[in-house]
Amino acid sequence: MSSPESTMDRGAVVTGYDGSEEAGKAVRWAAGEAAARGCGLVVAHVVGFTPVPEAIPGGAWPRPGFLEAGQETAQRHAEAMLGDIAQECRRDWPDLAVSTRLLSGRAPDALAGAAENADLLVIGSSGLTALPRLLVGSTANELLHDYHRPIVVVRAGDEPSADGDRKVVVGVDGSETSREAIGFAYEFADRHECVLVALHVWSDLPLEAMAVTPTEHDREIIEERGKPLIDESLAGYRERYPDVPVHRVIAVDRPAHALAEQAEGAALLVVGSHGRGPLRRALLGSVSRAMVHHAPCPVAVVRHHKG
């Protein structure tokens, strides 16, 4: 059953904030996206405490009121943090409706619950306890695997805004999940006036063969096979979003390398959570994990909804 807060936040953009620089960039990215969508922004912070007092080293128990005092201090600090970041968002996006949520429990569970009815969840790839630009934090990892709605991961070096004359890159492999990712990418590109780059990676060759530059004849065959797949995958979306320019790219490469190369300078890279064919392992597998770690732009992971 939905909580009252999750019902209130239906259709919003929800983002997590822990006070770190990376989380701050994620909040700003989320604020810009919420403003572009014309929906509300919810900034959540999770305070986690052990529900049952544990003995401290030496066998002693905490003094009466010790845990309660610590929790109260943490909550006051969190409320101040949330107030500051919300004020910053309201200042930079005056028309944006910003609300805050102070949550308790395990961060992945609490954030997933807060975003149960949201249209989008935005998080930093790590936070105060992870190495920036290298490790994806445990909260991000759990949400990427378990959260059932679209999620955007903003990395340490990413720009806080998606505006500007830029591109959106989406991986195309012909699967249902890929089509949902394409729909998400088209909507984003239309909203932010970006060019859409539809990338199909032809990687059925043995790994050792991929070190050899394909001949012109090879490329012609690969493009001949890849173009119908891309056209079929884009069918319907082109009519729905006629103002979005589309560049079709067929690459003979490892999927991770091709995606990262195309994502250079992009506003967003979009991948699905499951797929088949050349990008199957990329979509919440080794390649999508590599994208969340190393892509030079924010990464959106779109999960396939089974009918």
Side-chain angles (χ1 to χ4, degrees), residues 12-24:
V13 173
V14 174
T15 182
Y17 183 60
D18 64 2
S20 66
E21 180 182 356
E22 182 162 320

Side-chain angles (χ1 to χ4, degrees), residues 46-111:
V46 183
V47 179
F49 279 89
T50 305
V52 179
E54 295 180 353
I56 60 177
W61 289 91
R63 297 188 306 274
F66 175 83
L67 293 177
E68 291 81 357
Q71 186 170 4
E72 184 178 338
T73 299
Q75 287 178 337
R76 284 201 304 267
H77 176 66
E79 287 169 354
M81 278 199 317
L82 286 172
D84 288 344
I85 196 69
Q87 184 176 3
E88 181 181 328
C89 291
R90 293 186 185 106
R91 182 190 67 226
D92 294 341
W93 290 273
D95 296 329
L96 179 62
V98 183
S99 59
T100 61
R101 300 285 183 271
L102 184 58
L103 311 173
S104 60
R106 293 183 65 254
D109 297 336
L111 286 174

Side-chain angles (χ1 to χ4, degrees), residues 15 28 32 112 116 142 157 185 200 219-220 232 243 285 291 294 307:
T15 182
R28 291 186 59 79
E116 179 183 357
E142 286 197 40
H200 174 62
R219 288 189 181 278
E220 289 177 0
E232 182 180 345
D243 296 329
M291 292 302 94
H294 302 298

Side-chain angles (χ1 to χ4, degrees), residues 8 18 59 87 96 104 128 164 195 220 226 230 257 264 306:
M8 284 171 51
D18 64 2
Q87 184 176 3
L96 179 62
S104 60
L128 293 172
V195 172
E220 289 177 0
I230 292 181
H257 183 266
E264 194 68 45
K306 297 181 180 179

Side-chain angles (χ1 to χ4, degrees), residues 34 90 95 140 169 176 197 244:
R90 293 186 185 106
D95 296 329
V169 179
E176 283 300 315
V197 176
V244 176

